Amino acid sequence: MPRFSVIIPCFKVQGFLRECLDSVLDQSYRDLEVVAVDDCSPDGCGAILDEYAARDDRVRVLHLEENVGLGRARNAGLPHATGDYLFFLDSDDTLTPGALRAMADRLAESGDPDVLVFDYARTYWWGGTRRNVLAHVLAQTEETFTAAERPEILDLLMVVWNKVYRRDFVEREGFTFPPGYYEDTPWTFPVMFSAGRIATLDRICLNYRQRRQGNILSTTSRKHFDVHGQYERVFAFLDARPELARWRPFLHAKMGEHCLDILSKPDRLPPADKAEFFRRTAGMFRAYRPEGAEVPAELRVLEGGYAAYRLRRGSGRAARELERRARQTRGAVAGRLGRVRTAVRARRPLDPDLAVYSAFSHRGVLGDPAAVHAKAREIAPHLRGVWVVRDEECAAALPPDTEHVVLGSAAYRRVTERATFFVNNVNWPGAVAKRPGSVHIHTHQGTPLKYMGADLLGRPGARYGVDVPQMLRRADRWDHSLVAGRYAERVWERAYPCHFASARTGSPRNDVLVNAGPEDGRRVRERLGIPAGDTVVLYAPTRREYRRGGHVERIDPARLAADLGDGHTLVVRLHPSLATGPARGLGLSELHRRGVLVDATDEPHVEDLMLASDLLITDYSALMFDYVLLDRPVVIHADDWGAYTASRGAYFDITAEAPGHVSRSYRELAWLLASGAWGDEEAARLRSAFRARFCEYDDGRAAERVVRTLMLGEPMPAPEPSGVPGARAVPAGHDLLASS
């Protein structure tokens, strides 16, 4: 008996069907069967299904003699399912890699619940991806529950395909699908109301394809009237189950919300049928209203007529348009007043002791600016340092006693108009004027491998959404560009053909790496909950410009963690630009919860993670240029180097001049880790040469050099390339990675 029965009804999806089937059959978890139902499809679906069944005995195909629709096609597959759990997969959607393994692990962990609800992402025909906005609901518990105990679970999209169902629970309750457009409604509500044990999985397991055309529910038709009959079925189900009567008020409100949502969509109902749809909805709303139930304010429109509904909709649109125009007017007036204020304040003298700091688009006290600020407080306490943060949430996370202003506020305008020193690793907003006598210090975000600035002009994919000319105009305000070596100096002067002078200071944020001792790493390990004595492998991939959204999963982190074996902890840090996108939902959050690895994407100080680790595995992240200062091994995983350089561009071939061994497939990477070759003499020679070339000014005094020479005007010896740590290694506090 297989663990999963994947039931796939098929009708006119020949262009998507192979991708769907491959996503199931290529799963690393193999204990499954596919029950594919050819719903008398007029295209090539039947032949495709027979082809797959001929080469994989896990696939069984049913050919229906007439088209019965999605719900009844699923019903046709049910008697042939023998798995512990039923999974109804639409034939134009796909599973994400590792999805069934994650489901199987969660089912075992939660003791085989009646229903497991998992996450999904919408994938659009034009290439975009958007995660379920209510994903946080899935992350709130590790225990099983009922819908009554956690009713917010019913706020999720109530469809059949974001859940798996214990087969004996379905058979015991007699659940089946009715005919019609909205067949999911009388399945999902009864199932969720009746389930005695529900579990959640905070992982994107399914890509929900948003087709440009052919989506049934986006078709303009009277068939959307079907929704009324489907809700009548759910109310009939509650009538037959007195123990579930408590759900009537909830269902009554959901019905009203759902029908009004259909009515508001411009592409659902023919205009001539909208009044009838409203009247039928209002009639059902009155008929099924529970005695004494309070009607939510947004549903009271159903207590009136269609004319009142249209008037309210029209007034709402008019109010929004008036507000939009008012905002435009206020913006224009504010712009004129701002220019007047700027002209007046430009005559006020600069404050010679005021320094303004920002990092990573105003996210907090981070990176090079943070290191410069800390050193200024130490050796130049008369300098007043003020941080710019993007909102009050960021302000609340600042270290104690950090003076700050919120971006765009009156206080922000005052300090940026009077400050003498500006320290940032991202360009300041355009409204910040460069006044004579002010000193703009740009720190960058690391040593560049990939193309930056003006070099992006020849890479349209890489500069998507980036206004390069505007970027350069803002960079014209820089007075000093900090560099860690002559290579970076040449690249920045090429990428930003502006008016700055290169400051050979080193990278201030790297002082902590150059000056680190064993205790620094131990403290971070304890904070992250890493077992004492474990070898820590930091995996830090970068984003890809050849994929919309930037995320390409080149390595399965669960497999990597398993291959490392006992006594090792895998720490994963995604590129910051991917932190809030679907990438976290593709298993990383769930693996962190289960203790398989440590998801450190939200760790604010990447220097801490470097100090805590024994080995860095990366692809093309600039992190490698900093990590070699610890003289710890680096492995470059470059399995898509050709695609990466074709889309983004690179200043040199990292596979030929790497800071360590290079793997071009996961098999090669696994061999490097298992054999111990990652830490051999050749690896040490490679990173020593890499460090000498790219980190020649990082001597542990970069922040002090910035403060003394660029802010205080004091003389200080320039860093000597020969002073860069060579054979010196910064120990993590125990033996490095042993053979797995």
Side-chain angles (χ1 to χ4, degrees), residues 22 46 88 133 135 166 170 304 314 321 326 376 453 460 477 495 626 632 637 677 687 723 726:
D22 289 342
F88 299 97
V133 296
R166 192 159 50 83
V170 170
E321 177 62 17
R477 294 172 295 190
D626 306 327
R632 299 178 193 169
H637 186 61
R687 70 176 174 271

Side-chain angles (χ1 to χ4, degrees), residues 179-195:
Y181 252 23
Y182 289 86
E183 78 292 331
D184 281 9
T185 298
W187 171 280
T188 51
F189 281 114
V191 163
M192 297 299 283
F193 292 160
S194 304

